[in-house]
Amino acid sequence: AEAKPKTFGKEEALLAQVLETLFALIENSPDSAAGALFESNPTWRQDLDDDGDGEEYDPEMDSPTETSMAQGTLDMLACEIPKKYIFEPAVSRCVQRLNSPQANHRKAGIAGLGVIAEGCAEPLREHLNELMPFVLQCAQDGDAQVRECACFCLGQIAEHCQPEILAYSEQILPIVFNLLDDKTVAVQATSCYVLEMFCERLEPEAVRPLLDSLVKKLAAMLESTNKRSVQEMTVAALAATAVAAEEEFTPYVGGVASLMTKCMALTEERLYSLRGRALECMGHMAIAVGRETFRPYFQVTMECACEGLTRDSTDLHEFAYAVFANLAKVMKEEFAPALPDLVPHLVQVIGTDEGQIEPAEEAEKAGEFGAFDDSDNEDEEGGNFVWHVRTALLEVKKGAITAVGELAAHTGAAFCPHLESVMQVLQKAASNWHPLIKCEVADALPSMVVPSVAAHHNGEIQWVKGDVSSANPMSQHTSAVVSAVLTELIAMLKDDDKTTVAKACEGIQSVIELCGPHALLPVANECLTSTHELLTKTSPCQINDEYLGEVPEDDDDHDLVTQAACDLVGGFCRVMGAQFAQYLPQFLPAVCEYAKSSRPPRDRSMAIGWLSEVAQELEDSIFDYWKPVFLPATLAGLGDPSDDVKRNAAFSAGVCCEKLRERVIGDYPQILQGLEPLFGIDPSSGESAAACVDNAAAAVARMIMASPGNVPMAQVFPAFLKLLPLKTDMTENETVYTCLLGLLQVQHPDALSQKSELQRIFTEATAPGSKVDEEIQAKLRQAMPALQ
C-alpha cells in the first residue's frame, strides 16, 4: 500500500478480500476498537482492563491486539491508496455493518468509519449528511463498545472533517455531554476526546449554551475519578473548551487554574502524563483569555515547565516545549527574560543525535528496549552494525524546534542575540534523515527573520510591489538572515519528502511576503524553477512515484505539495506584481491543468482561486490572457458542480472585471449569465453554498462599480439585493457596501427605487451581533436617514 498504492487500489478483488478480513478481525475480537487512544498508552490500557474483567493489568504481557493491528492496517490503506479506489469499498462495508442487528458488527462498522476519517477526509466531508445519522445513532447505542467506538469516530470526524462537521454541533454536543456520565470508563474517556477534537474548532457562540455546565461537569469528573485515562482526557477537554470559548472562558480561569496547579505539582513518574496535560491546559487557557487575564498564572506555569525539564521524562519535556511555544505567543516581550536560560537548552536538545550505531550482537542482547539506550557503542568486532533510533528523542527534538520557532516569532528584538546559535543547529537539522524533524525546521526557519525585522525595522519592512530598482529596504543584518533562511528552504524544495517540500514552500512564501521583492531577487530564478517543477510534478518528491510504476493520473487525489506550490506562486505575484507577467506563459498552462473537469474538486478550486489571485496582483497585465485563459476558465468554474469551485470562479469573475474594467465590458452578458444560477443556491444548505452566494453578490458589486452602464440594473439589482446581507464571507462586506453607498451617493435611479430593500439590508447589517466591521457600520448608519 505504501510502495504501490495505485496498483493495489486497482486490484479490486484483492482489496475487497483484504478489507473483509480486516473488518472480520475487528468484529470477532472482544477488545476495544476505539483506535489508538488506549492502545498507545499502557496506563490507559490498565484502566480498560481494570474496568472489564477485574484481572490485574500486566504490562509485561502487553502486545498489539487483533483489533489494533486490523485498524492500523485499515488506517494505512485509507491514507495511502487513492480515494477513488479505497473510499467506496471501505465506507460501504461500514454502512453494511451499521445496519446490522448484531452489536459486534455495528462496533466494527462505526470503528472502521472512524479509522478511515483521516485518509478519506475529503470524500467523507462530501457524504457527512448520509453518514452522520449512523454516527449519532451509535453514540446512543445500547452496547457500551458501540458507544465507545462512536465517540472515537466522532472525535476523528471532528478532527479531519472541518469545517463541515461544525454544522452538527447542536446535535453532537448534547449527546456527548450525556456520555460523560456513562458507566463505562472507555466511553467517558473517549467522549472527552470528542470534546477535545470538536471544541478546539468551535466559535464562542457555538459552545456558549453549554459552557457553564460543561466546565462544571469536566471539573467534577477530574476531581472524582481515579482513572488516569479519564483524568487526562478531561484535562484535554477543558483545554479545548477554553480555546473554543476564548475570552468567555475568563470567569472559569481561576477555578481551572487551581485544579491544574494541583496536577502540575504531581511528582510520581506514573502521573507525569497527567502533569503534562495540565501544563498543556494552562497554555491553551493563556491562548484563550489573553495576556492580561493569564498574567497571574504565568510565573507558576513557567516554573512547573522548567522544573519538568530537570526530570528524566521525555513526556514532560515535550509538554514543556509546547507550553513555552504557547506562552511566548501570548506573553510576547514579557517572555523575553526567560530566553537567556531557555534558548541554550533548546539549542542543545536540537543538536542532540537521536540515533546511534551498535554492533548487531550488542543490539540483540539489549532487546527491543536497546533503542532507548543513550550509550554509544563503537566496537567494530563482528563487522555487522545496527542503527538504533531513540524515537522518544525525535519527538522531543521536534518539540524543541517548534518552541524555538515560536520564541523567535513572538519575543521580538530580544531574540536577536540568540539567532546565530539557533540558525547553526537549524541548518544542521535541515538535513536530518527524519521527515518529522525536517518539516519542523522548515516551519521554524521563517520565524528567524522576525526578530531582525523587529530590531531593525520596528516590526515592519516598507516594501513596494515589484520595485527592485530602488534601494534595498532591508538592513544588512536582516538581509543576511533572510539569505541564510531562504538558502535552506530552497534546498528543501529538492527533498524527497512531500510534507517537507510543502512546508518549505510555505516558509519561502512567508519570508518574501514579509520582506518584499529584494528578498526574492537573489534567489528568484531558482525559486521559480523549483516551483514550476512542483506544479508539473517533475520534482524529486514526485518522480519517486513514477520509479515505482505509479504514473500520475488526472483524477489523482488533491496533493498538499501542489497546493503549497500554487500558494507560493500567488506569493510571487503579491511580491513581484506586474514583473511576474513575463512568467505567465510557463505558469498558466501548468496551473490550468488542475482546472480540468477530470481533476478532483479541490484541484479545480485551487486552480480557479489562483487565477483570481493573479488577476488581483497583476491587474491589467493579465489582459493578453483574458480571452484565451481567464474568461473560459472562469465561465467553466461558474458551471462546476462543486460549490467551492463556483465560489472561487465568482470571485475570479468579479476581480477580473474590477481590474480590466472597460476592456472586458463586451463579456459582461456571458459573465452575468454564468453568475445567475448561483443566485438561486440555498445559503442554508452549508458553509460552501453560503460562501458561493456571497461571492456571486460581490462579483456583481465589482461589475457595477467597474462599469454600471454595462450591467442591466433593472433586472440584476433587485436580485442582487436579495442576497444581502452576506451570510458567511465577511471579507466581501467592504466590496458590497462600497458599491451600495456609491450608488446612493450618485443617486442612481435603480438604487433610489429600492430604498425599502436597502433599509432592510442596512438595518440587519448594523444590528447587535452583526459581523460587519464597525467602520462600515458607521457609514451605513450615516446613510440610513436618506433612505426614509
Side-chain angles (χ1 to χ4, degrees):
E2 279 188 313
K4 293 198 169 189
K6 286 183 188 174
T7 307
F8 193 165
K10 288 174 182 176
E11 294 286 341
E12 291 183 26
L14 174 63
L15 181 58
Q17 191 177 354
V18 169
L19 288 172
E20 281 296 336
T21 303
L22 297 176
F23 277 97
L25 283 170
I26 300 170
E27 279 170 10
N28 298 322
S29 168
D31 294 299
S32 164
L37 277 182
F38 292 88
E39 201 64 45
S40 60
N41 192 322
T43 58
W44 291 17
R45 284 288 307 280
Q46 184 174 353
D47 285 349
L48 282 188
D49 286 39
D50 291 350
D51 195 48
D53 53 21
E55 290 182 18
E56 191 173 338
Y57 172 75
D58 183 3
E60 294 295 326
M61 300 297 290
D62 189 37
S63 60
T65 64
E66 289 177 7
T67 295
S68 67
M69 289 188 286
Q71 286 183 304
T73 306
L74 181 58
D75 180 39
M76 178 179 282
L77 296 181
C79 288
E80 299 294 339
I81 294 176
K83 309 307 161 264
K84 60 188 174 185
Y85 301 128
I86 187 67
F87 180 69
E88 195 284 326
V91 85
S92 63
R93 283 167 173 78
C94 293
V95 171
Q96 177 189 345
R97 286 160 175 80
L98 288 169
N99 283 308
S100 170
Q102 293 176 259
N104 65 322
H105 286 194
R106 297 196 301 277
K107 176 191 81 167
I110 195 68
L113 196 59
V115 170
I116 67 168
E118 180 182 4
C120 295
E122 188 173 349
L124 199 56
R125 282 197 292 265
E126 295 169 14
H127 292 276
L128 274 185
N129 60 332
E130 302 152 48
L131 296 170
M132 281 305 295
F134 288 114
V135 180
L136 296 171
Q137 188 178 332
C138 285
Q140 301 170 85
D141 198 277
D143 185 89
Q145 283 202 331
V146 177
R147 294 197 303 276
E148 175 197 353
C149 290
C151 285
F152 165 68
C153 181
L154 273 172
Q156 289 289 97
I157 291 174
E159 184 173 0
H160 300 293
C161 296
Q162 295 288 339
E164 289 80 1
I165 188 62
L166 299 182
Y168 297 89
S169 60
E170 289 183 9
Q171 295 161 270
I172 291 172
L173 285 177
I175 290 174
V176 176
F177 190 81
N178 289 333
L179 289 172
L180 293 174
D181 287 326
D182 202 278
K183 294 175 182 176
T184 312
V185 169
V187 176
Q188 288 179 8
T190 44
S191 58
C192 288
Y193 162 67
V194 178
L195 287 173
E196 180 191 7
M197 292 297 106
F198 200 75
C199 289
E200 273 184 352
R201 294 157 178 85
L202 282 178
E203 294 295 321
E205 56 266 27
V207 79
R208 186 179 297 136
L210 282 172
L211 181 59
D212 188 65
S213 50
L214 189 55
V215 174
K216 288 175 181 173
K217 165 71 74 178
L218 291 170
M221 282 177 69
L222 179 60
E223 290 190 287
S224 63
T225 185
N226 62 352
K227 301 293 185 183
R228 274 169 282 174
S229 57
V230 178
Q231 289 171 330
E232 288 185 33
M233 291 312 297
T234 301
V235 172
L238 277 169
T241 305
V243 171
E246 295 178 4
E247 291 181 356
E248 294 185 26
F249 199 79
T250 299
Y252 308 100
V253 171
V256 174
S258 175
L259 286 173
M260 295 306 114
T261 303
K262 292 176 189 172
C263 294
M264 290 193 298
L266 296 169
T267 55
E268 285 183 71
E269 190 173 343
R270 66 188 187 89
L271 298 175
Y272 279 171
S273 187
L274 176 57
R275 171 176 166 161
R277 285 284 192 175
L279 198 56
E280 178 183 62
C281 182
M282 294 297 278
H284 284 159
M285 280 203 302
I287 295 282
V289 300
R291 177 159 59 174
E292 294 302 319
T293 304
F294 190 77
R295 188 177 283 116
Y297 312 100
F298 174 48
Q299 194 61 38
V300 67
T301 308
M302 285 294 291
E303 285 172 4
C304 171
C306 291
E307 199 275 339
L309 296 179
T310 66
R311 295 179 180 270
D312 185 18
S313 165
T314 52
D315 271 357
L316 282 185
H317 292 197
E318 273 187 70
F319 280 118
Y321 300 149
V323 87
F324 292 145
N326 281 333
L327 293 182
K329 285 180 194 173
V330 176
M331 305 309 294
K332 299 192 183 301
E333 68 280 356
E334 291 183 36
F335 195 97
L339 296 179
D341 292 327
L342 185 54
V343 176
H345 167 83
L346 295 172
V347 165
Q348 184 266 325
V349 172
I350 298 167
T352 304
D353 185 9
E354 70 281 348
Q356 66 189 48
I357 295 173
E358 282 186 6
E361 292 174 10
E362 292 295 321
E364 215 169 284
K365 286 177 197 169
E368 61 179 298
F369 297 107
F372 297 95
D373 181 5
D374 284 341
S375 62
D376 237 349
N377 192 330
E378 295 291 338
D379 184 4
E380 296 188 11
E381 287 180 23
N384 293 321
F385 292 86
V386 175
W387 173 255
H388 272 292
V389 178
R390 300 192 290 280
T391 50
L393 187 52
L394 267 177
E395 291 291 343
V396 169
K397 181 182 280 196
K398 174 181 177 285
I401 296 169
T402 304
V404 87
E406 295 297 343
L407 298 187
H410 299 288
T411 55
F415 195 86
C416 277
H418 308 285
L419 276 175
E420 187 175 350
S421 62
V422 171
M423 276 301 299
Q424 283 175 0
V425 288
L426 290 182
Q427 284 166 329
K428 181 187 173 189
S431 57
N432 191 281
W433 64 278
H434 202 288
L436 195 71
I437 301 301
K438 290 185 290 189
C439 279
E440 214 57 41
V441 171
D443 223 12
L445 276 168
S447 297
M448 298 304 115
V449 178
V450 178
S452 184
V453 173
H456 299 275
H457 305 275
N458 201 26
E460 184 181 4
I461 297 174
Q462 302 292 332
W463 55 268
V464 177
K465 181 163 65 175
D467 180 11
V468 289
S469 56
S470 302
N472 185 347
M474 292 187 291
S475 70
Q476 191 174 348
H477 184 270
T478 303
S479 293
V481 177
V482 165
S483 174
V485 167
L486 287 179
T487 297
E488 294 300 330
L489 290 172
I490 291 168
M492 285 176 150
L493 294 180
K494 300 291 186 185
D495 199 87
D496 59 5
D497 175 65
K498 287 185 177 181
T499 311
T500 299
V501 175
K503 286 288 185 186
C505 287
E506 292 168 15
I508 293 167
Q509 182 182 348
S510 171
V511 172
I512 64 174
E513 289 183 1
L514 175 64
C515 300
H518 279 276
L520 177 60
L521 186 62
V523 294
N525 285 339
E526 199 175 352
C527 250
L528 289 163
T529 302
S530 293
T531 309
H532 189 265
E533 286 174 357
L534 288 167
L535 291 171
T536 54
K537 295 187 181 291
T538 54
S539 74
C541 71
Q542 294 157 319
I543 56 178
N544 283 349
D545 292 342
E546 293 193 50
Y547 289 149
L548 295 167
E550 300 281 298
V551 180
E553 297 169 354
D554 272 4
D555 58 349
D556 282 349
D557 298 330
H558 182 72
D559 190 336
L560 81 164
V561 178
T562 312
Q563 181 70 62
C566 209
D567 291 343
L568 177 54
V569 181
F572 294 153
C573 293
R574 274 186 286 284
V575 171
M576 296 171 71
Q579 299 279 352
F580 188 78
Q582 62 189 301
Y583 301 105
L584 286 177
Q586 289 80 41
F587 280 93
L588 280 172
V591 177
C592 286
E593 271 292 306
Y594 297 93
K596 289 158 62 174
S597 59
S598 54
R599 294 283 186 175
R602 285 181 68 189
D603 274 5
R604 303 197 302 273
S605 175
M606 172 191 78
I608 302 296
W610 180 79
L611 287 175
S612 61
E613 275 190 276
V614 173
Q616 228 174 355
E617 300 302 337
L618 272 59
E619 301 186 355
D620 59 1
S621 298
I622 68 162
F623 180 67
D624 289 346
Y625 307 96
W626 167 247
K627 288 280 191 185
V629 179
F630 285 80
L631 178 60
T634 298
L635 293 175
L638 289 172
D640 197 278
S642 162
D643 283 342
D644 285 329
V645 180
K646 284 200 281 269
R647 169 191 186 172
N648 283 352
F651 183 67
S652 176
V655 167
C656 288
C657 290
E658 177 186 25
K659 301 301 180 185
L660 297 175
R661 305 187 75 80
E662 69 282 348
R663 302 173 83 173
V664 297
I665 54 177
D667 300 306
Y668 268 33
Q670 282 187 85
I671 295 169
L672 287 168
Q673 191 177 352
L675 286 168
E676 186 182 10
L678 277 62
F679 282 39
I681 293 174
D682 178 8
S684 66
S685 61
E687 189 169 340
S688 293
C692 189
V693 176
D694 287 350
N695 278 266
V700 170
R702 287 187 168 92
M703 293 173 78
I704 292 171
M705 288 190 286
S707 185
N710 287 285
V711 176
M713 293 289 282
Q715 292 81 42
V716 172
F717 195 63
F720 164 60
L721 294 180
K722 283 186 170 60
L723 306 182
L724 304 178
L726 300 179
K727 307 298 185 292
T728 187
D729 192 348
M730 298 300 127
T731 61
E732 292 290 21
N733 275 328
E734 186 174 355
T735 300
V736 166
Y737 293 115
T738 299
C739 172
L740 295 181
L741 292 169
L743 291 172
L744 287 173
Q745 192 173 1
V746 299
Q747 297 196 317
H748 194 286
D750 286 290
L752 296 177
S753 71
Q754 296 286 336
K755 279 187 175 181
S756 61
E757 188 70 347
L758 287 167
Q759 193 172 28
R760 173 192 68 79
I761 293 163
F762 286 16
T763 302
E764 288 182 35
T766 55
S770 168
K771 291 184 179 178
V772 177
D773 287 347
E774 278 300 327
E775 193 177 334
I776 297 171
Q777 286 195 41
K779 292 177 183 176
L780 298 181
R781 290 190 188 97
Q782 197 176 350
M784 282 177 75
L787 299 175
Q788 301 299 328

